[in-house]
Amino acid sequence: MTTSVDAVVFDIGNVLIHWDPRLLYRKIFTRVDMTADERKVDWFLATVCTQDWNIEQDRGRSIADAEAEAIGRHPDYAPQIRAFYGRFQEMIPDAIPESVAALRRVKAAGMPVHGLTNFGRETFPQTARRFDFLRSFDTVVVSGDEGVIKPDPAIFRILIERTGIDPARTAFIDDSAPNIQSARDLGFVTHHFTDPKRFSAWWTETGLPSA
């Protein structure tokens, strides 16, 4: 399936870089034998620093306000709450080689390549300093800067207006099914990133630059 794609948009978390809060909290919550207390990790991430809580930072809430809100609910866990952003990079162990290589090939071919990410406005700059390829986008739209998150079509429209891309000629890669559906509804050529090998096969089938 070769398509007429002349621009590519990447999500970042769990597409270009691995991100998993459990990696940090397995170090924080340990048993006497120093193995991770998985039940405590599960409880903490389901009750204290939840996905919904983190999403508000992706929507633009400051870290200071987020910490104050969570500590207000669970004052006995203040150090563990502050660790979420104080040790944020420990949740990001490494990059995903297959998708980073694809990004670099697009750049080398001279095609426009953009980023569209649900990411906090305070955590994205520190992450971009760590990974050079996050500084190689022609344009990157960060939800924390815009006050709107995927899958809201509004953030896709910000990207379209800012870059001038034609969705029908633009590949969009994301690990979230709702985000993929929003992009598809707007006419993007989409790939739901769940496995690097499947991604590499789709990339080749779509006719995007290969090694």
Side-chain angles (χ1 to χ4, degrees):
M1 169 188 76
T2 300
T3 59
S4 299
V5 168
D6 52 25
V8 180
V9 178
F10 285 93
D11 177 32
I12 293 175
N14 292 323
V15 171
L16 292 169
I17 57 175
H18 291 109
W19 181 80
D20 184 356
R22 299 181 64 83
L23 299 176
L24 170 61
Y25 285 98
R26 283 171 178 155
K27 301 176 190 176
I28 292 174
F29 296 115
T30 58
R31 300 186 182 91
V32 175
D33 64 0
M34 298 307 294
T35 60
D37 187 337
E38 297 287 354
R39 290 181 65 183
K40 192 62 174 285
V41 172
D42 288 344
W43 174 84
F44 184 85
L45 293 175
T47 308
V48 184
C49 291
T50 66
Q51 182 177 4
D52 287 344
W53 175 83
N54 181 56
I55 283 172
E56 292 309 307
Q57 286 69 269
D58 288 349
R59 207 189 304 272
R61 181 169 63 179
S62 72
I63 290 173
D65 287 348
E67 290 177 344
E69 189 278 334
I71 292 169
R73 288 185 284 112
H74 295 278
D76 292 345
Y77 287 91
Q80 295 87 351
I81 291 165
R82 292 193 179 99
F84 194 98
Y85 290 108
R87 298 171 62 180
F88 188 80
Q89 293 303 315
E90 294 179 52
M91 303 178 188
I92 305 173
D94 50 24
I96 299 173
E98 293 83 354
S99 50
V100 173
L103 184 156
R104 296 194 192 281
R105 289 196 298 268
V106 171
K107 289 292 292 184
M111 289 176 65
V113 58
H114 309 293
L116 180 61
T117 181
N118 286 352
F119 224 113
R121 57 186 170 86
E122 294 168 271
T123 49
F124 181 75
Q126 63 179 237
T127 307
R129 285 193 295 270
R130 181 178 164 199
F131 296 100
D132 68 313
F133 53 85
L134 297 182
R135 304 191 299 272
S136 68
F137 293 117
D138 295 289
T139 301
V140 58
V141 174
V142 177
S143 64
D145 293 331
E146 308 299 335
V148 61
I149 61 173
K150 297 177 289 181
D152 191 328
I155 196 167
F156 290 89
R157 294 191 182 102
I158 289 169
L159 175 75
I160 293 166
E161 181 176 349
R162 199 165 290 169
T163 61
I165 56 173
D166 175 1
R169 299 180 63 85
T170 302
F172 175 74
I173 301 104
D174 199 293
D175 69 314
S176 161
N179 297 348
I180 287 293
Q181 187 60 55
S182 284
R184 189 174 293 139
D185 290 345
L186 290 166
F188 284 88
V189 177
T190 61
H191 176 72
H192 184 198
F193 190 100
T194 57
D195 174 80
K197 290 182 179 178
R198 287 186 62 246
F199 164 74
S200 296
W202 169 84
W203 185 270
T204 301
E205 291 169 5
T206 306
L208 288 158
S210 57

